Amino acid sequence: MNDFILPDIGEGIVECELLKWLVAEGDTVVEDQPIAELMTDKATVEIPAMHNGIVSKLYYKEGDIARVHEPLFAMQSSSDERAETVELSPESEAQPIKATASGSAQIESFILPDIGEGIVECEIMQWLVSEGDVVSEDQAVVEVMTDKAVVEIPAKYNGKIVKLHYAKGDTAGVHTPLFDQEIDSGAQDLTNTSNTSASTAEPALHHSLKQPAVSSIAGIASDTNKHQQGEKYEPPVQVSRAIASPAVRRLAKENEISLSDIKPTGHKGRVLKQDVMQALSSHKEHSQASQNTQTAPNSAQTSGIEKASSNDDRIESIKGIRATMGKQMMASVSTIPHFSVSDELCMDKLIALRNDLKPVFEAESVKLSFLPFFIKALSLAMKTYPVLNSRLNEAGTLLTYLSAHNIGIAVDSKIGLLVPNIKNVETLSLFDIAQQLNGIIERARLGKLSNAELSNGSISLSNIGAIGGITATPVINKPDVAIVALGKTQKLPRFTPIGDVFASNIMMVNWSGDHRVIDGATMVKFNNLWMDYLCHPEKMLVHLR
C-alpha cells in the first residue's frame, strides 16, 4: 500500500482545504485520474492518482485542512510490483544525501519542488549566492520565474553552497536538483529521515542519541528503545530558531510578532499560518483589554469615539492571487515606461449586429457578448501592426514578434484577478471565440483555470464597463506590450457634419503601451484601425476565412 504524500503546491503554502473527494475507498482508478479537489490560497487544484490501483484509504474528510508533506490518501497497486512514487516530503527533498570525504559533513541536493499548479519548469532569473558562499537557513539563494510569478527559493539549512546545477537563464525542471549544499554540523540532525531502510535506521538513531551536546535528546534515550526496527520514528528536533516557511515568517514580521513567542502546531514543531493568526488575535484582544482598563473616558461622547475606533481597525494579510498580482503590477510599472491613448468608440452598428446574431448563437447554446468582436478586431489589427504582438527581453535588447495571437481577458474570479487568454485567435471564427470565451470565464470564476490558459498571452483587454467604469489607465500585464480598458456604453449627444444633434452609443477606450516598443503614432494608427473594424463591423468580413 502506497501513501500519496501531498507535495508542495505553491510558494509558501503549507496547508489547503479538502473541497471534495472524487472517489471513495475501494474504488479502482487509473493513473492520472483525479482523486481529490483541494483549495489553496491561490487556486483550486485537482490531485491525480500516481498509478493504476485501488484506493484503500482516504485520510481526510471533506472540509478538513490537509497539510503539505503528509499523507492524503493510500493506494494499493494493481500489479505485483510496487509502483514508483514521488513524495515531496522534507525527507525526500533532501535526497540524495552524500557524505564528504572526511565523513564529518553531508552534502544535500536541494530538489526543486512543485512551485505552482501545472508548472513543470521555471527559468533561473538570478543566483543570489555563488559556489563557496556560506548561507543561513531561509536565506534566499535564487530567483526563478514561472509563468505566473517570480519566486525566491530559500536555503533549507545553514551551510556552504558547493554546486549550482544551472546557469542564469537556464530552464530548471521541477523535481530535479537545483543546488548542492554542505550542511553545517549543527544542522545535520535535521536531515535524519524516517524513511531510511531497516538496516541503517537503528545505528543512525542510536548514534544521534549518544551525542552529549544535545542533552534533551539524550534525556529521552530510554523512550526510543520502545521503537522497533523498521517502525516509523521521528527523531526529536532541537533548533535555536523557530521552524516556519518564508510566507509565515513574512506574515509574522509584518505584524511585528516574534516566532519564538508562538506555540507551534505543525509537523516537527513547525509554526503554521494559523498559529500566527491565533497569536495576532490574542495579542489584539490583550491590547484592547489593557487599553480599556487603563483609559477612562471623559464623557459618553469620548467613549463612543474610542469604541468605534477600536472596532473599525482590522488587519488583513495580503496573500494568494492578491499578493502575486501586486508583485506583477509592481514589476510592470517599475520596469515598463507606460504611455496612454484614449478615444471614443461609436457602438451603434456593433450593437445592431450583435442583436441580429444573438438568436443564431443562442440556438447553439452560446452566449454572445461584445467581447468576441473586440477580440477578433484586435487580431485583425495586429496583422497590420505586428509590433503590438511582440515581446521585449529583460535587457531591452531583443524584440520577438509572436506568430500566435493569444488575447487575454481580465476576469474577476473568486480567488482574485486573473488574465486567461484565448489561443490562436487569428485562426478562429467569431463563434469559436465566443464559445471559448464562455468556457474560460466560467472556469476563471471557479478558480479552475489551467496554467496553459494563464500563460503566453499576447495583449490584454480589461472590461471595466461591465461593472460601471467609464475610463481607466490600465497597467500592462507584463510581458505584454499593451493593454486596453473598455468603458461602459453611454447614450450621449453628438453632432452631424452640418451641426444637427443626434443620440449615439459611445464607449471610452483607454490604451496603455510600452514606450520602449511602441511609439505614440503607431499606437494611434493601430487604435484607429481597430476602432474602424468595430464602428463598421462588416469590414471584418473581408478578412474572415
Side-chain angles (χ1 to χ4, degrees):
M1 185 172 70
N2 299 336
D3 278 346
F4 178 92
I5 305 300
L6 183 62
D8 292 324
I9 49 179
E11 179 195 5
I13 296 176
V14 296
E15 59 190 14
C16 55
E17 181 182 354
L18 180 65
L19 289 181
K20 184 180 181 181
W21 285 111
L22 305 177
V23 298
E25 291 183 357
D27 285 358
T28 299
V29 297
V30 296
E31 182 180 2
D32 290 334
Q33 178 180 337
I35 300 295
E37 281 188 358
L38 306 178
M39 183 172 70
T40 71
D41 293 334
K42 298 181 178 180
T44 299
V45 184
E46 284 190 347
I47 300 296
M50 56 277 201
H51 52 71
N52 298 342
I54 300 173
V55 177
S56 54
K57 187 173 181 61
L58 306 178
Y59 287 104
Y60 295 93
K61 300 177 183 178
E62 292 183 359
D64 284 353
I65 301 299
R67 295 184 176 178
V68 168
H69 302 158
E70 292 189 3
L72 185 65
F73 60 89
M75 283 185 61
Q76 182 67 45
S77 175
S78 59
S79 62
D80 294 333
E81 296 182 0
R82 182 174 177 173
E84 294 183 359
T85 61
V86 178
E87 299 181 351
L88 288 182
S89 64
E91 293 81 9
S92 65
E93 287 181 0
Q95 298 295 330
I97 297 178
K98 300 164 282 187
T100 60
S102 65
S104 62
Q106 291 178 330
I107 296 178
E108 173 187 319
S109 291
F110 180 93
I111 305 300
L112 182 63
D114 293 323
I115 49 180
E117 179 189 4
I119 295 177
V120 297
E121 61 185 16
C122 58
E123 180 183 351
I124 304 295
M125 296 293 293
Q126 181 182 2
W127 285 105
L128 305 176
V129 298
S130 302
E131 291 183 356
D133 286 356
V134 176
V135 299
S136 58
E137 179 188 0
D138 286 336
Q139 179 180 336
V141 174
V142 62
E143 283 185 357
V144 301
M145 182 175 69
T146 72
D147 293 326
K148 297 180 179 179
V150 176
V151 182
E152 283 188 350
I153 302 294
K156 290 179 62 179
Y157 308 107
N158 299 335
K160 183 171 69 174
I161 302 297
V162 296
K163 184 176 181 180
L164 306 179
H165 286 277
Y166 296 93
K168 180 180 178 180
D170 288 351
T171 298
V174 168
H175 303 162
T176 62
L178 193 61
F179 59 87
D180 291 347
Q181 182 181 4
E182 182 179 297
I183 304 174
D184 191 14
S185 58
Q188 288 182 29
D189 288 342
L190 295 178
T191 64
N192 293 331
T193 68
S194 61
N195 295 327
T196 53
S197 64
S199 61
T200 60
E202 200 72 27
L205 174 59
H206 287 297
H207 175 73
S208 68
L209 296 176
K210 294 178 182 177
Q211 299 300 319
V214 186
S215 58
S216 59
I217 295 180
I220 61 169
S222 59
D223 293 338
T224 63
N225 294 329
K226 300 176 184 178
H227 294 274
Q228 301 299 320
Q229 186 176 21
E231 288 185 349
K232 183 174 181 180
Y233 173 75
E234 295 290 346
V237 177
Q238 292 291 323
V239 293
S240 59
R241 187 183 185 195
I243 305 174
S245 68
V248 173
R249 292 185 184 279
R250 188 184 311 115
L251 177 61
K253 183 178 180 181
E254 289 172 351
N255 292 286
E256 299 181 350
I257 297 177
S258 173
L259 287 175
S260 60
D261 297 335
I262 298 176
K263 182 179 179 180
T265 62
H267 184 56
K268 289 188 178 181
R270 179 177 291 273
V271 179
L272 303 180
K273 177 184 64 177
Q274 64 190 38
D275 301 332
V276 178
M277 299 307 294
Q278 179 64 34
L280 178 61
S281 177
S282 300
H283 177 72
K284 288 177 63 180
E285 291 176 0
H286 177 73
S287 299
Q288 185 174 352
S290 299
Q291 183 179 2
N292 291 340
T293 57
Q294 295 176 5
T295 304
N298 295 325
S299 64
Q301 182 180 5
T302 304
S303 177
I305 294 174
E306 290 179 351
K307 183 177 180 181
S309 176
S310 63
N311 288 339
D312 289 343
D313 291 342
R314 184 168 62 93
I315 298 175
E316 181 179 288
S317 59
I318 304 298
K319 59 186 179 180
I321 289 294
R322 289 178 63 192
T324 302
M325 181 181 68
K327 293 178 182 178
Q328 180 79 351
M329 294 300 99
M330 177 60 72
S332 177
V333 297
S334 61
T335 60
I336 298 177
H338 285 57
F339 76 100
S340 300
V341 169
S342 299
D343 209 340
E344 288 187 353
L345 172 63
C346 178
M347 294 283 290
D348 293 341
K349 290 188 176 182
L350 192 58
I351 291 173
L353 178 60
R354 174 177 175 259
N355 291 336
D356 290 341
L357 293 179
K358 277 182 68 176
V360 179
F361 280 65
E362 289 173 355
E364 299 293 333
S365 301
V366 175
K367 180 182 177 181
L368 178 62
S369 66
F370 289 111
L371 279 179
F373 297 98
F374 287 100
I375 292 169
K376 190 61 182 179
L378 273 181
S379 177
L380 294 175
M382 284 194 294
K383 289 183 179 180
T384 304
Y385 296 94
V387 72
L388 271 291
N389 191 41
S390 63
R391 286 282 179 276
L392 188 66
N393 68 344
E394 286 294 329
T397 57
L398 295 174
L399 188 65
T400 301
Y401 288 85
L402 306 176
S403 57
H405 295 177
N406 301 338
I407 298 179
I409 312 98
V411 181
D412 186 17
S413 74
K414 70 175 184 179
I415 59 172
L417 183 65
L418 300 173
V419 189
N421 59 81
I422 298 176
K423 309 292 186 186
N424 303 304
V425 174
E426 75 279 6
T427 65
L428 301 179
S429 68
L430 198 65
F431 182 83
D432 296 331
I433 296 170
Q435 196 171 39
Q436 291 195 27
L437 181 64
N438 291 342
I440 282 178
I441 291 176
E442 181 179 356
R443 289 191 296 276
R445 288 174 177 165
L446 294 174
K448 294 187 176 182
L449 287 169
S450 67
N451 184 57
E453 290 173 320
L454 292 167
S455 307
N456 302 319
S458 298
I459 195 170
S460 302
L461 297 98
S462 178
N463 187 15
I464 63 168
I467 54 176
I470 299 174
T471 63
T473 304
V475 177
I476 297 170
N477 185 31
K478 188 180 181 181
D480 295 358
V481 296
I483 184 173
V484 62
L486 311 175
K488 71 176 182 180
T489 301
Q490 305 177 87
K491 184 160 286 190
L492 299 173
R494 290 297 180 263
F495 295 90
T496 66
I498 61 174
D500 293 335
V501 178
F502 67 98
S504 182
N505 293 287
I506 301 296
M507 173 187 287
M508 291 297 300
V509 295
N510 304 272
W511 285 95
S512 289
D514 185 341
H515 223 323
R516 300 172 299 172
V517 179
I518 310 167
D519 56 60
T522 300
M523 178 60 83
V524 171
K525 291 176 183 177
F526 173 82
N527 177 67
N528 289 344
L529 178 59
W530 175 63
M531 290 207 313
D532 189 49
Y533 284 129
L534 297 172
C535 291
H536 308 282
E538 66 276 5
K539 291 186 178 181
M540 285 192 275
L541 295 174
V542 178
H543 303 279
L544 298 181
R545 297 178 180 178

